[in-house]
Amino acid sequence: MFRRADRRPGLPAAVKHLVQRRFTYHTAVDHINLSIEAGEAVAYVGPNGAGKSTTVKLLSGILEPTEGSVRINGRVPQRSRRAVAQEIGVLFGQRTQLWWDLPVSDSLSLLRDIYRVDQHTYQARLRNLDDVLGIGEFMGTVARKLSLGQRMRADLAAALIHGPRIIYLDEPTIGLDLTVKDRVREFLRSLRDDGVMVMLTSHDLADIEGFCRRLVIIDDGRIIFDGALDAVKDEFARERVLHIRTASPADLGPLRAALPKADVSVGDTATTVSVRFDRFVLTAGEVVEATGAIANVVDFKLDEPTIEDVIRRVYSGELVLRTGTPATAESRPA
Ligand SMILES: Nc1ncnc2c1ncn2[C@@H]1O[C@H](COP(=O)(O)OP(=O)(O)OP(=O)(O)O)[C@@H](O)[C@H]1O
Ligand SMILES: [Mg+2]
C-alpha cells in the first residue's frame, strides 16, 4: 500500500497542501498469493500500473508490505536483506543499477566486493557473461555513454555476477533492437535450463513464448490468472486472421461456401479478403488454398493474437468460465 499525497493543481492549492496535507491510500498489490519453485520460469504480465514492479520490489526487499509476508527460501527479504540479496538478482529494465560515472568493469568489480565473490569465481562468471552477452567490448566505457542495448546487457551482467539462483527481470528487453532481444532471450533460456528460477515481467509476448511455461496475470494489484501458458494460448489465442490480397476483387459468395467454418469479409481494400478462423479447425494453408481455387492470390498476411489480446479476454471473464482455473471469485475484478 502506498500513501500518496493528494494535490489539487494551482498555486493556492500548492500552498494549502504544504500546511494541510491530504493523503489517499492506494493498494498497489492485494492478495497476491504466489509461490514459485526452483527452475521455474514464470511470466508475470498485466497492464500498466497493475502492480508488477511493486511485486518485484516486495520480493527483493526494496519495499515493505503493509500486510502479508514474502519469503525467499524461507527468509523474509525485508529482515534478512543481505542473505536474500546473495540469492537473488534483480533487473529493472527501466533503470540501471550501474554506477553512472564509472566504467562497466568498475561497477562489476564493486558488485564483486559487495557480494564477496572470490576472484576465481568472478573471472569465470565474467568470461561466461561475456560469451553470451558480449559485454567485453564495452567493459571500459562509462555507463552513461552506453547505448540502451549495451546498458541492458551490462545490467544483466550486474544482476548475475554473484550467481543468484533466483532472478526477477522487470522488462529486460524494453527498448532493445531485435538482435539484442534475441540474444537476451537465448541467455535467459540458458539460465532457466541451469535450474535458475526466473520471474519475468514483460509487455512483449515474444519474451514469454517459448520460455515461460507458467503465466500469471495481474490487474489492479490482484492475480486474475495463474496457470499454464499453453492452456491460455490454446484456449484464448486460437483465432487467426488471414488477410489475402487478390489480383481483382474476389467474389465472397463462393469463398464463404468453400470455408463454411470461417468468417469471411472484405478487407481494408476491395482486393483484400479477411478470413477469421480457429486454428484448431482450419490451417492458414487450407484457407489460402480455398481462396486460390476461387481467386488469383497475390499476397497474404497472418495476424496472430498478442498477449495483450489474451489478457483482454481474460478481463472479460471468459477465461475463468471456460477453463474453471485459478482466478477465484474474490480475486477477480468486478
Ligand atoms: N512509490 C509509489 N508511490 C505511490 N504510488 C506508487 C508508487 N509506486 C507505484 N505506485 C502505484 O502502484 C500501482 C502499481 O504500480 P507498478 O509500478 O507496480 O505497476 P506496473 O505493473 O509495474 O506497471 P508498468 O507496466 O507501467 O510498469 C500504480 O497505480 C502506481 O501508480
Ligand atoms: Mg513496471
Side-chain angles (χ1 to χ4, degrees), residues 197-318:
M197 187 224 92
V198 185
M199 183 164 168
L200 172 69
T201 286
S202 182
H203 288 281
D204 193 338
L205 178 62
D207 283 346
I208 292 162
E209 284 186 313
F211 176 60
C212 299
R213 286 178 55 203
R214 180 168 162 202
L215 172 72
V216 174
I217 304 176
I218 170 176
D219 183 31
D220 206 7
R222 287 162 179 254
I223 290 179
I224 60 169
F225 179 81
D226 180 354
L229 175 62
D230 279 353
V232 176
K233 281 180 54 196
D234 285 353
E235 190 70 9
F236 291 93
R238 50 200 285 175
E239 191 177 270
R240 298 285 180 273
V241 183
L242 195 63
H243 303 280
I244 307 167
R245 199 152 58 81
T246 50
S248 55
D251 197 354
L252 295 194
L255 191 53
R256 285 190 176 125
L259 295 167
K261 288 182 178 138
D263 173 16
V264 181
S265 59
V266 183
D268 297 339
T269 65
T271 51
T272 317
V273 220
S274 293
V275 183
R276 192 176 292 275
F277 63 97
D278 182 327
R279 75 180 173 96
F280 289 139
V281 175
L282 283 171
T283 66
E286 286 166 341
V287 174
V288 173
E289 205 180 299
T291 314
I294 290 158
N296 191 358
V297 175
V298 179
D299 198 6
F300 54 86
K301 176 178 160 280
L302 184 67
D303 274 354
E304 299 192 3
T306 63
I307 195 78
E308 309 294 337
D309 295 330
V310 174
I311 292 169
R312 225 172 288 127
R313 299 190 66 175
V314 175
Y315 296 152
S316 71
E318 283 175 81

